[in-house]
Amino acid sequence: MYSYYAGVWLATLKAYEAIGKAIGDESIVKQAQQQFATSQKEALEKLWNGRFFAYGCEPDGSKRLDNVLFTGQLAGQFLSRYCGWGDVYPMDIVKASMMSQCKISLSKSPDYYANKVWDINLNRGIDNRGSQCWPFYLESYTALAGMQAGFYEDAMDIMKHIQLVHLRKGWTWTQNLWNPSDITYMTAPVTWFSTDVLAGAGVNIPRKELRLAPVVADDKVISIPLFYPNFWGVVTADPQKKSITFKITKKYGKERISFNKVISEPAGLSTSEKREIEIKEFVVEEGKTLDLSPYWDRIIDNRLEAPVLPEADKHDFRYVTIK
């Protein structure tokens, strides 16, 4: 049993549930929910060690590798929340995992560019040569999963340092900066996810739902571009005026797209605490602006964490016991 696959399997079950709902098949929805509950319980019981998900174990839970930390352990969590399917793990567990990754491997590596696999006893990475840390693991499964969990400053710091390494190496993109080549992985680069996560954004066009919960870290105005196949837009949030708008900058195709509900899943909060806001139907047309300022307090409610990476040793591990 492997921490990466355990989480991705849970995200897959969330996708299966979404398919069932989309086609109106309650038997699929029920089967997906039941299997999710069973699989989540097994993953937590067998892999969670109180601070992070162990690298892996035998199918019966024996020989758990608590001495090995893997930066892809929150892959399923990131993917499921990004897609609007909700968390696959409790938020306190996600935050504890992030704290462990920051303290154990990321803060101990130049530019926070840690090996994917880290041996705690040796206090170093143990990736095979040619398969050392991949940028898309750090960006999506660590940094952006961390941003979803409220570790905004650490997430931005990780992504900034990845690009600094790129610049020093003279590569615009490579699969593995310690062993560069012209061959890259099919899912890289994943930096395009960042604007969606910064805006807490997503769309469900058939259900006329817009997800929106921008990360507002200080009193400065923020503007975040969003790109979807049928339209582009810009989210602008002004903390001093408590104003938030979504302007449509481009519209493609003739399909009529509209929203009558806004769903907010603020960073640092569990998706079980999401806010659903009914709005007057907004039809997506180039140049139009959706003003959501009256709902500021419901949309902008981030629970951001203090930065860990700059002084990781001064932060305590977080211990979470499975109930």
Side-chain angles (χ1 to χ4, degrees), residues 123-145:
N123 194 32
R124 63 173 176 81
I126 55 172
D127 286 356
N128 294 324
R129 181 172 176 78
S131 183
Q132 292 167 313
C133 183
W134 299 337
F136 74 90
Y137 265 66
L138 272 184
E139 284 192 295
S140 54
Y141 305 152
T142 302
L144 295 180

Side-chain angles (χ1 to χ4, degrees), residues 25 50 72 90 135 190 215 240:
D25 191 327
V190 297
V215 175
Q240 296 190 37

Side-chain angles (χ1 to χ4, degrees), residues 281-305:
E281 185 180 39
F282 174 79
V283 179
V284 174
E285 295 176 358
E286 194 166 312
K288 286 187 66 174
T289 298
L290 173 61
D291 187 355
L292 296 169
S293 303
Y295 312 108
W296 174 274
D297 290 332
R298 299 184 66 189
I299 295 175
I300 309 296
D301 190 20
N302 312 131
R303 308 301 170 87
L304 303 184
E305 300 281 337

Side-chain angles (χ1 to χ4, degrees), residues 91-108:
M91 184 51 65
D92 57 348
I93 282 177
V94 175
K95 291 186 177 187
S97 169
M98 273 302 303
M99 181 64 75
S100 291
Q101 292 183 59
C102 287
K103 284 179 63 64
I104 292 172
S105 64
L106 298 174
S107 64
K108 301 296 191 296

Side-chain angles (χ1 to χ4, degrees), residues 146-316:
M147 188 178 295
Q148 292 171 337
F151 290 79
Y152 166 75
E153 292 194 43
D154 289 319
M156 296 297 284
D157 220 7
I158 291 168
M159 292 191 289
K160 179 182 75 174
H161 279 85
I162 288 174
Q163 299 308 323
L164 289 175
V165 175
H166 279 134
L167 288 170
R168 287 202 303 273
K169 293 285 184 179
W171 288 78
T172 55
W173 177 261
T174 182
Q175 168 72 359
N176 171 6
L177 297 179
W178 303 148
N179 185 31
S181 70
D182 293 315
I183 300 174
T184 191
Y185 192 66
M186 61 182 179
T187 59
V190 297
T191 309
W192 57 66
F193 287 131
S194 60
T195 55
D196 292 336
V197 179
L198 278 166
V203 296
N204 187 325
I205 292 176
R207 297 179 63 174
K208 299 185 176 183
E209 294 175 350
L210 170 66
R211 277 188 295 120
L212 206 59
V215 175
V216 177
D218 51 36
D219 62 355
K220 295 183 178 64
V221 177
I222 60 169
S223 291
I224 305 171
L226 297 174
F227 305 97
Y228 300 107
N230 295 327
F231 66 92
W232 295 359
V234 176
V235 177
T236 301
D238 185 340
Q240 296 190 37
K241 296 180 180 179
K242 286 194 169 184
S243 70
I244 177 170
T245 60
F246 182 39
K247 182 177 181 179
I248 307 302
T249 55
K250 293 286 185 180
K251 173 68 168 66
Y252 300 96
K254 298 180 180 180
E255 178 186 1
R256 186 180 189 274
I257 298 172
S258 66
F259 301 110
N260 58 24
K261 180 184 288 188
V262 173
I263 297 176
S264 172
E265 297 174 341
L269 288 177
S270 167
T271 54
S272 64
E273 299 181 66
K274 68 182 179 182
R275 297 85 190 270
E276 298 189 4
I277 304 167
E278 302 289 340
I279 62 172
K280 181 181 178 181
E281 185 180 39
F282 174 79
V283 179
V284 174
E285 295 176 358
E286 194 166 312
K288 286 187 66 174
T289 298
L290 173 61
D291 187 355
L292 296 169
S293 303
Y295 312 108
W296 174 274
D297 290 332
R298 299 184 66 189
I299 295 175
I300 309 296
D301 190 20
N302 312 131
R303 308 301 170 87
L304 303 184
E305 300 281 337
V308 177
L309 287 172
E311 298 181 301
D313 290 339
K314 293 184 178 180
H315 293 261
D316 295 329

Side-chain angles (χ1 to χ4, degrees), residues 9-51:
W9 168 239
L10 294 177
T12 303
L13 292 171
K14 288 285 192 179
Y16 188 40
E17 179 185 352
I19 291 171
K21 290 178 178 178
I23 65 176
D25 191 327
E26 285 302 316
S27 65
I28 289 179
V29 173
K30 184 177 180 180
Q31 181 186 18
Q33 290 175 341
Q34 290 177 340
Q35 186 60 58
F36 177 87
T38 299
S39 297
Q40 185 197 53
K41 182 175 184 291
E42 183 179 16
L44 292 172
E45 288 179 347
K46 292 181 178 178
L47 291 174
W48 182 250
N49 63 19
R51 297 190 303 175

